[in-house]
Amino acid sequence: MSILEVKDLSIQFGGLKAVDHFNLSVDHNELVGLIGPNGAGKTTIFNLLTGVYTPTEGSIYLNDVSTIGKRPSDIVLLGSSRTFQNIRLFKNMTVLDNIKVAYHNRMDYNFVSSIFKTKKYKIEEARANEIAKELLEVFDLLEFKDHLAKNLPYGKQRKLEIARALATNPQILLLDEPAAGMNPQETEELMATIKLIKNQFNVSILLIEHDMKLVMGICERIVVIDYGKIIAKGNPKEIRTNKDVIKAYLGE
Amino acid sequence: MRAKIKNIKDLLIDPRFINYTIIVTIFLVMFSLIQFELVNRYIYNLLVMVLIMIVMSTSLNIATGFLGELVLGHAGFMGIGAYTAAIIGIALRPYIEVDLLLFVVSAIAAMILAGTAGLLVGTPALRLRGDYLGIMTLGFGEIVRNLITNLDTVTNGAQGLAGIPRIMTFPIAFWTTVLIVTTIFLFMNSRHGRAILSIREDEIASESVGINITRYKLLAFVLASMFAGVGGAMFAFKEGFLAPVSFNFLKSVEIFVIVVLGGMGSLSGSIVSSIVLVFLPEYLRDFKEYRYLLYSAILVITMLYRPKGLMGTKEFDFTQLKNKITTFTKRLKARFSKGSDR
Amino acid sequence: MELFIRQLINGLNTGSIYALVAIGYTMVYGIIKLINFAHGEIMMFGAYFAFLFAFSLSFQLPFILVIVLSMFFAALLGILIERVAYKKLRKAPRISALITAIGMSLFLQHLAQLIFGATPYVMKQLVDTTPVTIFNFDISRLTLLTIGLSIFFMILLSLFVYKTKPGKAMRAVSQDKEAAVLMGINVDNIISLTFAIGSALGALGGIFYAMTYSQIYPTMGVLPGLKAFIAAVFGGIGSIGGAMIGGYLIGIIETMTKAYISSKWVDVIVFGLLIVILLFKPSGILGKNRKEKV
């Protein structure tokens, strides 16, 4: 069964069709890459999938539930979660709190409980702490748990953002250029991390990336778009030799 | 999790115990100073005023410090609370003889009405951001003041509302303030508080991890206005007389300045700066003409050289203070023993 | 009908003042994205300058020279405020700059109070106020002068912004500061120039305001300042044309409310209008909508 089912997704800004009849289906625990030249509409697709933009046409189903017209925060509850091209952390909050914010909806105590510090409050907070720490452990961030997010080095900020996205317990994770700004060694590390989370957390991953080594190295399937349209689909090997793809990247 | 308290020694180092003890001690000291008439009427009034400003500034801190939205009409909510409490207080005085009960009843009414106003303004206003929200709340504050002036059948208009029972004693004011500040503190340390902080840090990211930002913005805004209503009620029962001019734009700015100077996002900062900014102008009375000039210059200079305010987003903690003293004495001892070795 | 036309003329009079002041708000906002709360105080200082030039010298200056000198000194004051208080905060969070502006506004009010005292000065008329009759309407010369001079300066400003090189530079800086620097524009000078022009026009508004209501006092800039700001928002903040339209609309709405509803409700209606605009079209009549990029 597919987790994400996108049909004929289109959006128009003024006269420009930024995304034009985009189709995609992502299966359970699959790792799909979305690539294309700059300005091809990749991030726009993410924004459509996460509810930041409303499509002018088409449908998006997440676990068989339509997400059209839903707010971004409600789409998260349906099981998708994302990172951003330019990292968006809660900079002046601690690393641990960054994770705990994402854990918000999985905690269950109300306003009154928090003021009277009821038993429920204590149990739920303790559980959140435990799970957040476990998650940080996976990403080698536990020793930084009390640091402010803004004080982490760049590569660790990227990791924290992915960890935060995972804390919402998603079934599909959308990563927007996770390797941007990383050196080859950091990228190498990131590839290992992505593989690890795919297996350990049993999620599907859709990622946008410019680093071809990363995309070709870990993606099972790749979708290439240009000018908002799909120009090729296939496994890394097929994509590498596809004429249209080469043309789109290198010009005529 | 906190360890179970088994004996007295554990109790003495329990941070909660330390904080409670210190609050009670402050109260007892102040209260006995008042009881033995070591504090004159003038200082007494200033003390109550400090407490009112603490309620006003910590409540504004929810919306401005923690949520990070510019609110320039906090005096409007204070005004709604003050007039509500005053009118109810005057009406119920013949039936309720106990001062505390009269205050509680009126303050709850003030809180509900100010909170409702917050809900009505906040629902549409919070779609706006930054400066625009600030201006919108400024406009709201001015409208409230004009309404109070114009609806003279209820509020006695510009002449002012007199005959409000003056029941705002130090103990009532003190414990009301403690109750409100503690509530805000505990709330901010819950998952709800974290959600609000995350909106200040990055609205889009906050939404992307499943926080319903509209709901939490509104919650923060309504809480801020509710507590401002209580602050207004305290003010009404302290003064015994209300005039619309007490709730003008300048009042909103004054509260705002306290929050900014104390540090946006620091409750203890707001408390310290309330104390300083209520007492300082009184002691600058001799320089009456220069007082506000100095006041505004301090504001500008703070922004230029210490934009995060006195405390930044940090909280002052008595238990930390104790730790600092311990390390300090340890260091002293180490130094001392080193010296004697030589 | 006669009452209506009379009120319309009054509205144009007040509107001219609001428009002049609103231009200062909108220009500064356009260029450094700051609501210059101290602008109302520049208006107030402009009026005090005019008073000093007109009545405290041993000889009588011609009216036009009084105006020009006051505008010049207000421009200097505007530049000074920007250099001292705002320049350092250009890259700081918006909220810090805004708080500084509020602080500056209070500072100037109390500075004026210290220098001139809290008691209002009576502004004697600087011009002949005998009414002129146009189409059977008696119109005060002051009203005609206010409307005429305001429109004259607004045309001058438009010519400057759209036809001259510094005007073009100004528009460039408001579009993109970094790019403007790369094009060799001295951004600091352009920002100073913007404050200078805005302050000079604000001072002119202040002088007319003082002559219309015959009084000058330290807090006289607060309310008209806020209203002019509403006018700027109404017209679309950042747009000079919008500020002019907004100014006249607010002026007319205000006088009409006074005439046909009640002067008690003027402020409630004007501030209510502000809220309505912000809710339904926060970008104003001529402004553009901007959305944050994800």
Side-chain angles (χ1 to χ4, degrees):
Chain A
M1 191 197 86
S2 64
I3 299 282
L4 178 71
E5 193 71 56
V6 180
K7 279 215 175 76
D8 291 325
L9 192 67
S10 306
I11 188 169
Q12 204 158 350
F13 296 118
L16 177 81
K17 271 211 161 174
V19 177
D20 193 3
H21 293 91
F22 177 79
N23 290 290
L24 180 71
S25 161
V26 179
D27 282 345
H28 178 68
N29 206 14
E30 202 184 8
L31 208 171
V32 181
L34 178 62
I35 64 170
N38 278 327
K42 303 180 296 284
T43 300
T44 310
I45 290 174
F46 266 30
N47 285 339
L48 287 166
L49 295 180
T50 52
V52 177
Y53 297 153
T54 313
T56 33
E57 201 185 321
S59 63
I60 305 167
Y61 284 91
L62 203 64
N63 282 318
D64 293 328
V65 183
S66 168
T67 71
I68 306 292
K70 287 204 163 68
R71 336 166 34 109
S73 55
D74 291 334
I75 294 175
V76 176
L77 299 180
L78 292 176
S80 92
S81 185
R82 75 179 286 186
T83 65
F84 296 88
Q85 200 171 330
N86 20 17
I87 309 174
R88 283 178 176 271
L89 288 172
F90 306 127
K91 292 199 183 82
N92 292 305
M93 294 172 81
T94 63
V95 168
L96 189 72
D97 276 351
N98 264 271
I99 305 285
K100 282 171 81 183
V101 170
Y103 198 69
H104 178 88
N105 286 314
R106 292 161 71 194
M107 276 190 260
D108 175 35
Y109 63 81
N110 58 21
F111 179 78
V112 180
S113 293
S114 55
I115 289 167
F116 291 103
K117 287 209 173 181
T118 57
K119 202 171 176 186
K120 198 167 185 188
Y121 165 88
K122 285 176 184 161
I123 292 170
E124 291 279 302
E125 281 288 317
R127 190 166 63 97
N129 278 331
E130 279 317 302
I131 291 177
K133 281 181 194 164
E134 276 169 30
L135 201 56
L136 288 175
E137 182 84 73
V138 174
F139 285 86
D140 286 329
L141 289 168
L142 189 56
E143 53 177 315
F144 303 104
K145 75 177 170 62
D146 296 322
H147 291 221
L148 292 186
K150 66 176 178 192
N151 295 336
L152 290 183
Y154 185 81
K156 291 200 168 47
Q157 291 197 7
R158 281 264 176 228
K159 277 188 178 174
L160 177 58
E161 208 192 14
I162 298 175
R164 186 182 70 185
L166 279 171
T168 65
N169 200 18
Q171 281 164 293
I172 181 162
L173 192 58
L174 309 176
L175 304 177
D176 196 347
E177 295 198 29
M182 285 190 171
N183 62 32
Q185 193 211 328
E186 284 173 323
T187 309
E188 200 86 15
E189 240 179 81
L190 181 76
M191 282 168 73
T193 314
I194 292 175
K195 273 187 202 160
L196 177 87
I197 54 182
K198 181 183 161 238
N199 298 326
Q200 190 166 339
F201 295 90
N202 202 16
V203 289
S204 314
I205 297 175
L206 176 64
L207 67 87
I208 294 178
E209 190 46 74
H210 276 302
D211 189 315
M212 282 305 143
K213 204 175 141 226
L214 186 144
V215 175
M216 297 297 170
I218 58 172
C219 292
E220 290 146 14
R221 204 148 60 79
I222 295 173
V223 178
V224 190
I225 61 166
D226 194 15
Y227 295 112
K229 281 185 187 154
I230 296 178
I231 56 169
K233 278 180 179 179
N235 62 36
K237 216 169 163 188
E238 291 160 359
I239 294 298
R240 204 171 291 159
T241 51
N242 186 302
K243 271 187 209 150
D244 292 331
V245 176
I246 296 168
K247 205 165 80 184
Y249 270 91
L250 301 176
E252 299 280 343
Chain B
M1 283 197 84
R2 207 194 313 281
K4 281 265 160 57
I5 291 162
K6 283 183 198 130
N7 53 37
I8 304 237
K9 211 186 159 196
D10 286 342
L11 181 73
L12 287 179
I13 56 165
D14 185 71
R16 238 185 334 177
F17 177 77
I18 295 172
N19 283 334
Y20 290 158
T21 318
I22 285 172
I23 290 171
V24 172
T25 315
I26 292 175
F27 175 73
L28 288 178
V29 169
M30 301 308 285
F31 190 66
S32 35
L33 282 178
I34 292 162
Q35 284 301 305
F36 295 114
E37 295 185 354
L38 293 166
V39 166
N40 61 27
R41 193 74 216 165
Y42 175 66
I43 303 283
Y44 185 94
N45 270 327
L46 282 184
L47 282 176
V48 177
M49 199 60 213
V50 166
L51 293 167
I52 294 171
M53 288 322 267
I54 289 175
V55 170
M56 292 311 299
S57 56
T58 46
S59 61
L60 180 62
N61 219 329
I62 306 174
T64 296
F66 297 121
L67 181 65
E69 296 290 2
L70 188 61
V71 176
L72 294 175
H74 209 49
F77 297 110
M78 185 186 185
I80 292 175
Y83 272 89
T84 309
I87 290 162
I88 289 180
I90 293 170
L92 292 185
R93 177 83 273 195
Y95 309 103
I96 302 179
E97 297 218 336
V98 187
D99 288 352
L100 179 65
L101 187 64
L102 185 67
F103 172 69
V104 170
V105 171
S106 322
I108 288 175
M111 186 163 88
I112 293 171
L113 216 70
T116 312
L119 189 72
L120 289 178
V121 184
T123 309
L126 287 164
R127 285 188 301 160
L128 301 168
R129 303 187 57 186
D131 308 348
Y132 284 106
L133 181 67
I135 296 147
M136 168 117 181
T137 50
L138 189 164
F140 162 77
E142 285 301 294
I143 289 178
V144 168
R145 189 174 59 84
N146 274 291
L147 284 178
I148 293 175
T149 316
N150 291 350
L151 299 174
D152 39 16
T153 46
V154 193
T155 63
N156 206 24
Q159 284 157 356
L161 186 63
I164 307 162
R166 299 184 65 172
I167 54 174
M168 194 71 312
T169 57
F170 178 77
I172 298 182
F174 186 86
W175 292 111
T176 310
T177 309
V178 169
L179 190 72
I180 287 177
V181 176
T182 316
T183 305
I184 297 174
F185 180 77
L186 291 173
F187 173 71
M188 285 317 299
N189 279 298
S190 71
R191 70 183 183 115
H192 309 289
R194 275 195 300 271
I196 288 171
L197 281 180
S198 79
I199 295 172
R200 172 187 77 188
E201 292 298 311
D202 193 324
E203 223 170 86
I204 289 165
S206 178
E207 226 176 354
S208 85
V209 292
I211 307 291
N212 185 335
I213 55 171
T214 319
R215 201 174 130 220
Y216 275 103
K217 275 184 177 181
L218 199 60
L219 178 63
F221 196 73
V222 170
L223 274 181
S225 45
M226 279 166 68
F227 293 139
V230 178
M234 291 165 76
F235 183 75
F237 291 127
K238 172 194 170 281
E239 297 287 307
F241 172 81
L242 291 178
V245 73
S246 305
F247 309 104
N248 60 7
F249 176 53
L250 222 59
K251 187 70 163 195
S252 295
V253 169
E254 200 183 317
I255 303 163
F256 191 75
V257 167
I258 292 178
V259 173
V260 172
L261 290 185
M264 284 185 275
S266 167
L267 293 176
S268 28
S270 292
I271 293 172
V272 174
S273 107
S274 297
I275 297 169
V276 173
L277 286 187
V278 171
F279 275 98
L280 188 72
E282 297 302 325
Y283 284 101
L284 288 176
R285 236 162 227 250
D286 296 341
F287 314 93
K288 206 173 173 195
E289 283 119 63
Y290 301 95
R291 157 174 144 188
Y292 283 104
L293 200 65
L294 200 71
Y295 197 81
S296 45
I298 290 174
L299 183 65
V300 174
I301 292 166
T302 312
M303 276 303 108
L304 290 174
Y305 298 100
R306 205 178 161 79
K308 289 200 169 152
L310 215 57
M311 299 282 292
T313 53
K314 290 189 196 73
E315 290 296 352
F316 181 79
D317 191 339
F318 292 117
T319 52
Q320 274 170 18
L321 184 72
K322 195 179 142 274
N323 289 341
K324 270 184 191 156
I325 292 172
T326 338
T327 43
F328 183 69
T329 46
K330 263 184 198 161
R331 224 182 275 162
L332 269 185
K333 267 183 198 162
R335 216 182 209 184
F336 187 70
S337 57
K338 222 184 193 175
S340 61
D341 280 349
R342 226 189 291 153
Chain C
M1 194 60 202
E2 198 187 312
L3 177 70
F4 180 79
I5 292 174
R6 193 163 290 286
Q7 292 307 326
L8 195 66
I9 294 166
N10 283 341
L12 288 176
N13 185 1
T14 327
S16 298
I17 296 170
Y18 289 154
L20 285 173
V21 182
I23 288 170
Y25 279 111
T26 223
M27 283 177 78
V28 167
Y29 193 91
I31 215 144
I32 55 170
K33 303 283 169 290
L34 167 75
I35 300 170
N36 183 12
F37 270 98
H39 194 55
E41 278 58 51
I42 294 199
M43 182 181 165
M44 171 266 294
F45 265 99
Y48 273 112
F49 289 150
F51 184 89
L52 293 179
F53 287 123
F55 303 116
S56 65
L57 299 175
S58 52
F59 50 93
Q60 185 71 46
L61 280 177
F63 175 66
I64 200 73
L65 213 57
V66 169
I67 283 187
V68 170
L69 276 173
S70 312
M71 286 169 78
F72 175 74
F73 278 96
L76 286 186
L77 182 65
I79 295 173
L80 187 72
I81 291 170
E82 194 273 328
R83 288 280 151 124
V84 171
Y86 303 154
K87 195 177 171 189
K88 209 170 165 262
L89 291 168
R90 262 179 228 162
K91 291 206 174 71
R94 293 264 283 279
I95 202 164
S96 318
L98 204 68
I99 294 162
T100 313
I102 293 172
M104 210 60 222
S105 155
L106 293 177
F107 181 82
L108 292 173
Q109 273 172 36
H110 292 103
L111 186 70
Q113 192 166 334
L114 202 64
I115 303 172
F116 307 109
T119 357
Y121 286 19
V122 177
M123 185 76 164
K124 280 169 269 178
Q125 290 307 335
L126 299 171
V127 289
D128 180 13
T129 48
T130 47
V132 206
T133 309
I134 302 172
F135 298 122
N136 293 328
F137 278 105
D138 290 344
I139 305 170
S140 148
R141 272 176 209 270
L142 179 63
T143 303
L144 283 180
L145 189 72
T146 306
I147 299 172
L149 260 184
S150 306
I151 291 175
F152 168 74
F153 274 106
M154 285 185 227
I155 293 171
L156 210 63
L157 176 73
S158 308
L159 287 177
F160 173 79
V161 172
Y162 290 99
K163 300 282 178 205
T164 67
K165 219 174 153 188
K168 200 184 232 174
M170 202 177 266
R171 281 182 292 142
V173 175
S174 77
Q175 294 268 322
D176 189 331
K177 253 188 234 85
E178 278 75 34
V181 173
L182 295 176
M183 295 299 120
I185 294 170
N186 185 332
V187 173
D188 285 348
N189 286 350
I190 292 297
I191 291 176
S192 292
L193 185 65
T194 309
F195 271 86
I197 295 174
S199 306
L201 293 179
L204 186 66
I207 297 168
F208 286 139
Y209 190 81
M211 290 202 291
T212 310
Y213 298 96
S214 329
Q215 275 195 335
I216 308 180
Y217 48 97
T219 53
M220 69 174 266
V222 179
L223 205 60
L226 281 177
K227 299 244 178 85
F229 176 72
I230 295 172
V233 174
F234 199 174
I237 193 143
S239 150
I240 293 175
M244 297 175 193
I245 297 174
Y248 281 107
L249 280 175
I250 296 286
I252 291 167
I253 290 169
E254 204 181 289
T255 40
M256 292 298 166
T257 310
K258 268 184 198 156
Y260 294 101
I261 304 175
S262 153
S263 58
K264 255 175 40 173
W265 294 98
V266 169
D267 289 353
V268 175
I269 287 178
V270 174
F271 283 107
L273 185 74
L274 169 77
I275 290 179
V276 173
I277 303 161
L278 285 177
L279 290 182
F280 294 102
K281 201 168 185 320
S283 55
I285 301 170
L286 296 182
K288 287 185 197 102
N289 255 323
R290 274 192 196 151
K291 217 180 165 184
E292 191 180 354
K293 223 181 157 191
V294 181

